[in-house]
Amino acid sequence: MCLGKTADNLFLQIEECYRSAVNVMDYHFYFPEAAVLSAKTILSNSPAEFGIGLAEEEALKDAVKNTDYGEACCLTDRIIQRCLDGGYPEPDKFRSGLQSLFRHISLFFQMEDAFEQFWQQEGGEENIGAFKNKLYALLELLVKKTEEKKQDRNSGFAERFRSYLEQHYSEDIPLEDIAAAFALTPTYFSNLVKEITGDSFSRNLIEVRMKKARSMLQETDFRIYEIARKTGYEDVKYFNRVFKKENGITPMQFREEIIKIRRGTHE
């Protein structure tokens, strides 16, 4: 039951009272369990305008970017609650405002097609609880697709990064130069390498160089200083220190161990 505005003269104000009662019916969206809704309590507590702040939108974008579904849902709850703190906006405007917010986020991540396809599905807007669940489901979709994109990006970057090291390990590779080769800033490049490989750029480079050094010690007759230079170390003493730190023995000891193993195999 929906009650319209009270009237001093119902005969003269009946149309206005009727329109207010019909208007109140829309607010069943906020109060699905209520048996009676009154214009006196609802329309007087309905703000003319409400808005969603840019900072709120940016925070929600960050949560999706970080594929943090839980945080994205919490932010959505806070945005909704903040919109309702000043009263109950017209349900159509409320739904439209939240829908626009999520459309902006979808556009930011270039997922507008996924958004439109999802939003065209029927249901989920009959009351505020169902509407929240629809927003949560959309967030789950956006986070999932962001995660898939990130995995594809990471896989491609990891392959290119490893290939670059395999080709240039014998050279001096300043961080600034390799970052420029990937068209990234040094800081972003370093963070991306750490995120994808679990190690810093320098650690990855050392691992490749040590792998190549061990291979040369086993399969060639190059002298130690030659191997040092071929793996990017002009100072053979420094090469020896790095090799021992990484492998527990010096390059010469490593080669001697290989020779002993081979002799024992042939005896």
Side-chain angles (χ1 to χ4, degrees):
M1 179 181 295
C2 295
L3 305 178
K5 293 181 179 179
T6 57
D8 296 328
N9 188 324
L10 185 58
F11 180 77
L12 296 177
Q13 297 174 271
I14 191 168
E15 289 188 12
E16 179 184 352
C17 292
Y18 174 77
R19 284 195 301 270
S20 67
V22 171
N23 191 13
V24 169
M25 291 179 67
D26 292 337
Y27 286 80
H28 188 260
F29 171 80
Y30 295 116
F31 309 99
E33 304 299 327
V36 178
L37 297 177
S38 169
K40 181 178 180 180
T41 57
I42 291 178
L43 297 185
S44 61
N45 195 31
S46 178
E49 298 291 340
F50 81 101
I52 297 170
L54 181 60
E56 293 172 317
E57 180 175 332
E58 291 302 314
L60 195 51
K61 285 178 183 176
D62 286 342
V64 173
K65 181 180 179 181
N66 296 329
T67 62
D68 191 337
Y69 174 70
E71 176 65 10
C73 289
C74 288
L75 285 168
T76 299
D77 285 342
R78 289 202 289 270
I79 290 170
I80 290 174
Q81 186 57 53
R82 204 267 307 157
C83 290
L84 299 179
D85 283 344
Y88 295 96
E90 291 182 24
D92 283 346
K93 290 183 178 180
F94 176 80
R95 288 189 292 259
S96 178
L98 271 296
Q99 183 180 348
S100 294
L101 168 65
F102 277 73
R103 179 179 283 108
H104 291 166
I105 292 171
S106 300
L107 287 170
F108 178 80
F109 290 102
Q110 299 180 336
M111 299 181 193
E112 56 270 31
D113 290 342
F115 169 83
E116 295 298 341
Q117 183 177 0
F118 176 89
W119 207 263
Q120 287 172 7
Q121 298 174 6
E122 295 183 2
E125 299 181 50
E126 59 272 16
N127 61 63
I128 192 169
F131 186 67
K132 282 184 180 181
N133 289 335
K134 187 168 186 176
L135 296 180
Y136 297 154
L138 178 56
L139 282 173
E140 185 176 15
L141 175 64
L142 295 179
V143 166
K144 180 180 178 181
K145 288 188 172 295
T146 300
E147 180 65 35
E148 291 172 354
K149 283 187 175 184
K150 184 181 291 187
Q151 289 176 353
D152 291 342
R153 180 207 67 186
N154 289 356
S155 176
F157 177 85
E159 185 176 341
R160 289 173 56 214
F161 175 61
R162 181 59 60 172
S163 176
Y164 187 97
L165 293 185
E166 291 286 343
Q167 294 176 30
H168 300 277
Y169 67 89
S170 62
E171 306 169 14
D172 180 30
I173 312 177
L175 174 61
E176 292 75 11
D177 290 355
I178 188 172
F182 283 80
L184 300 172
T185 65
T187 300
Y188 184 80
F189 176 83
S190 295
N191 292 337
L192 191 57
V193 169
K194 180 70 174 179
E195 175 187 343
I196 294 173
T197 69
D199 281 320
S200 66
F201 159 64
S202 59
R203 283 297 313 160
N204 277 275
L205 179 57
I206 289 172
E207 288 176 6
V208 171
R209 284 175 168 175
M210 290 299 102
K211 178 181 177 182
K212 297 295 183 180
R214 290 192 297 270
S215 177
M216 291 182 194
L217 288 166
Q218 293 181 66
E219 300 172 7
T220 73
D221 293 326
F222 292 140
R223 296 179 181 275
I224 302 300
Y225 74 87
E226 293 177 307
I227 294 175
R229 290 178 179 175
K230 288 179 181 294
T231 54
Y233 297 96
E234 290 297 325
D235 185 343
V236 66
K237 292 183 179 179
Y238 180 66
F239 168 74
N240 285 335
R241 288 200 301 272
V242 173
F243 190 94
K244 185 174 182 179
K245 180 180 178 181
E246 296 297 317
N247 299 280
I249 55 177
T250 66
M252 183 60 72
Q253 290 171 332
F254 182 87
R255 175 170 273 174
E256 290 172 351
E257 289 294 328
I258 295 299
I259 292 173
K260 288 180 182 179
I261 292 172
R262 287 175 177 171
R263 285 175 179 172
T265 302
H266 291 299
E267 289 178 356

